[in-house]
Amino acid sequence: MTDGTPRTAGPTEPAAPAEKSAGKLTEKPAELTSLERTALYKSLGNPLRRRILDYLGRHGEANSTVLARELGESSGTTSYHLRKLAEQKLIEEIPEKSGGRERWWRSLPFSHTTPDPATMTTEEYAAAEHLALLKIEVDTGLFRRAHEEYRGPQGWAQVQRTATWMTKTDLHDFVRAYQELLDRYSHPDDAVPEGARRVNLRFYAAPDPVGEWEGEPTGP
């Protein structure tokens, strides 16, 4: 999942995110309206729905009873949130396993890029910011884990920190190439090879502030 975040409250601050789940998209997703984006950010910012999505991402499938047991909730509560996630096409029912009142679910490949905050409504920005702050907490933990679990260049945990010179065009080309690398080396949920583990990757790019290099402008 790719991801960016708004930094502080206020509609003029840089905003959020592009997200991509495990699995590869086969077509370009439809453009969302502001109301749809707001609903999406609120849904992804709901703690229980995030836990449900995390469980499905790790275990592949589940029904409301399994999730209730694993997450310490009632089956009625998990069933409600599963339906809401399905409405937003974040998960789908598994018809071959579902029957009667027992419905099984799996996550869907998902990609979304948050627009310029200047184009957001106040409600949309607030929802995006709330979601971003939740992610920052998770990402901070992952950053610490990567350092704590680092066992050399041949280990599972890897850390790269780099500073270099790029034009804006260079940076955008780099981001596209990075996404192509993820697509090349990732495996979809239904074709995971033996020995594979779920790997959490994060990518951030932040230019130096204007004027920081020997008093000269370094770009926006």
Side-chain angles (χ1 to χ4, degrees):
M1 209 176 263
T2 55
D3 185 6
T5 61
R7 293 181 299 180
T8 59
T12 60
E13 290 294 325
E19 292 213 13
K20 182 170 183 179
S21 70
K24 298 177 182 177
L25 299 176
T26 57
E27 59 183 34
K28 185 178 180 180
E31 190 71 25
L32 299 179
T33 66
S34 176
L35 285 176
E36 289 171 331
R37 291 193 300 266
T38 302
L40 174 66
Y41 304 150
K42 287 182 176 179
S43 190
L44 292 174
N46 180 285
L48 180 54
R49 291 183 194 177
R50 290 182 69 81
R51 292 171 65 201
I52 289 173
L53 290 171
D54 181 67
Y55 185 92
L56 291 175
R58 293 177 183 276
H59 300 277
E61 58 187 43
N63 61 21
S64 59
T65 302
V66 170
L67 288 167
R69 182 184 67 243
E70 296 297 321
L71 304 182
E73 301 286 343
S74 71
S75 59
T77 298
T78 55
S79 179
Y80 169 80
H81 287 287
L82 284 165
R83 291 194 303 272
K84 291 300 181 180
L85 289 170
E87 289 175 6
Q88 292 179 312
K89 296 181 172 54
L90 296 172
I91 66 172
E92 68 177 359
E93 188 176 353
I94 307 174
E96 61 271 22
K97 292 198 66 172
S98 300
R101 299 183 64 181
E102 184 177 354
R103 304 173 71 183
W104 284 79
W105 304 88
R106 61 190 165 208
S107 58
L108 284 170
F110 168 73
S111 181
H112 172 71
T113 300
T114 300
D116 185 331
T119 67
M120 291 182 176
T121 64
T122 301
E123 184 179 11
E124 180 184 351
Y125 186 89
E129 182 185 42
H130 174 70
L131 175 58
L133 294 175
L134 292 176
K135 293 177 191 171
I136 288 172
E137 293 181 12
V138 174
D139 293 349
T140 300
L142 286 174
F143 180 74
R144 288 174 176 156
R145 273 190 50 209
H147 282 277
E148 291 168 357
E149 298 177 11
Y150 180 74
R151 298 294 181 270
Q154 303 305 314
W156 277 100
Q158 295 294 310
V159 178
Q160 291 287 331
R161 300 175 73 248
T162 304
T164 189
W165 290 90
M166 290 184 180
T167 65
K168 186 181 288 186
T169 299
D170 292 335
L171 176 59
H172 293 175
D173 289 344
F174 180 85
V175 172
R176 281 189 287 270
Y178 171 80
Q179 185 59 62
E180 290 171 1
L181 281 173
L182 287 178
D183 291 340
R184 183 189 309 172
Y185 291 104
S186 298
H187 302 284
D189 292 340
D190 58 358
V192 178
E194 184 178 354
R197 295 172 61 182
R198 274 179 62 90
V199 178
N200 298 290
L201 298 103
R202 300 291 189 270
F203 168 75
Y204 300 102
D208 289 343
V210 171
E212 189 169 279
W213 180 259
E214 296 183 350
E216 296 296 325
T218 57

